[in-house]
Amino acid sequence: MSDAPLTLERSGKLLHLQFNRPASLNAIDSAMAEAFLGAVTEAVADDAIRVIILSGAGRSFMAGGDIAQFSRDPGSIPDSLIEPMNKAILLLSGSDKLVLGSVQGPVAGAGMSLALVCDLLIAADNTRFSFAYTALAASGDLGISWSLPRLLGLRNAMGVALLGDSIKADEAQRLGLVNRVVAAEQLAEQTLNLANQLAELPALASASIKRLMQAAVQQDLGSQLAAEKQAFSQCIEQPEFHTAVAGFLAKRK
């Protein structure tokens, strides 16, 4: 087994990035953050990759930041840990590629932050989400103050952040944090099935949907209608559109 903090596995249109510090529940340290930024930078530049899977080795997706580094060198955290992770998150968010998070066990602090910036999220039934930052007298990072209010609404987001309750997988799905919940022993298989399904979607259409959905919470209706029209016009020019229309018509005969 590799002792690298992040492992990469390429399969066709898929790239699987797995956080690989299972003994510490994949807690992020500076080495992992730099490895993640490097892998993401290469991935978003690779036109052959359509879907990026994020997962964690062992019994947890990620249980937050590395407490040992927090204790040993807290001054290093903003620049050597948060900054490279922020750059990677912005690259993933701005990329046309779909990002699929696959989570299990404790998903806390930075782990919850990272999970929520994925485009889609599949969770094992043993997953427990926890904001966790307040337990360290910290305010949050890696976009959690951006993601939570957009996914839950302001009131619910404040409750999750300040009251400290953990959220079980089924409740997370009900709240809209998770797309699918599966049995823990089926997580790897179901993640791969979903990733392959996403990889076969028309490239321009799926990329346009991602951009439009991201922009919707910040634009007025008129701007969003114009953006939809522009994206649809671009899709019409693609061979996949004409093939899909022809296939639809053939089924009606």
Side-chain angles (χ1 to χ4, degrees):
M1 182 176 177
S2 172
D3 59 358
L6 184 79
T7 62
L8 292 74
E9 182 179 355
R10 176 74 177 269
S11 177
K13 300 175 183 178
L14 310 181
L15 177 66
H16 187 177
L17 303 181
Q18 185 170 72
F19 300 105
N20 188 41
R21 301 184 69 211
S24 60
L25 301 185
N26 298 313
I28 304 176
D29 62 4
S30 295
M32 180 183 281
E34 288 294 343
F36 185 59
L37 174 58
V40 168
T41 300
E42 292 185 11
V44 298
D46 188 336
D47 292 337
I49 295 172
R50 295 285 308 282
V51 177
I52 299 172
I53 302 169
L54 302 184
S55 72
R59 66 183 184 89
S60 169
F61 171 70
M62 182 182 292
D66 183 46
I67 299 299
Q69 181 174 346
F70 289 6
S71 175
R72 181 180 65 254
D73 189 11
S76 69
I77 295 169
D79 291 334
S80 72
L81 196 161
I82 295 177
E83 185 60 21
M85 291 300 295
N86 283 352
K87 289 179 178 178
I89 287 168
L90 287 173
L91 285 172
L92 290 173
S93 178
S95 170
D96 287 347
K97 305 176 195 312
L98 298 177
V99 182
L100 173 61
S102 176
V103 302
Q104 78 283 353
V107 181
M112 184 173 182
S113 302
L114 189 58
L116 296 186
V117 298
C118 294
D119 298 315
L120 292 169
L121 195 59
I122 183 171
D125 56 8
N126 64 1
T127 303
R128 299 291 185 274
F129 293 92
S130 177
F131 183 82
Y133 289 100
T134 48
L136 294 177
S139 55
D141 59 5
L142 309 193
I144 198 162
S145 63
W146 187 92
S147 300
L148 268 183
R150 284 165 171 77
L151 291 168
L152 299 182
L154 180 59
R155 184 75 64 192
N156 285 334
M158 290 288 285
V160 169
L162 296 176
L163 299 180
D165 297 333
S166 64
I167 304 172
K168 296 180 180 179
D170 55 352
E171 177 68 3
Q173 185 176 32
R174 187 190 70 79
L175 290 171
L177 297 178
V178 168
N179 297 98
R180 293 184 182 176
V181 175
V182 300
E185 62 271 17
Q186 296 179 355
L187 180 63
E189 178 185 357
Q190 293 299 320
T191 296
L192 184 58
N193 289 343
L194 182 54
N196 281 319
Q197 177 185 340
L198 294 172
E200 294 308 314
L201 292 173
L204 181 60
S206 61
S208 296
I209 289 169
K210 175 175 176 174
R211 289 195 299 270
L212 288 166
M213 293 291 185
Q214 289 174 333
V217 295
Q218 299 171 334
Q219 293 195 138
D220 58 64
L221 178 58
S223 298
Q224 191 69 10
L225 290 171
E228 287 179 341
K229 178 184 176 182
Q230 180 181 11
F232 201 97
S233 299
Q234 293 171 341
C235 289
I236 289 172
E237 298 174 357
Q238 301 302 306
E240 295 93 337
F241 177 85
H242 298 285
T243 300
V245 170
F248 182 82
L249 291 174
K251 291 178 182 178
R252 296 178 60 181
K253 293 180 179 178

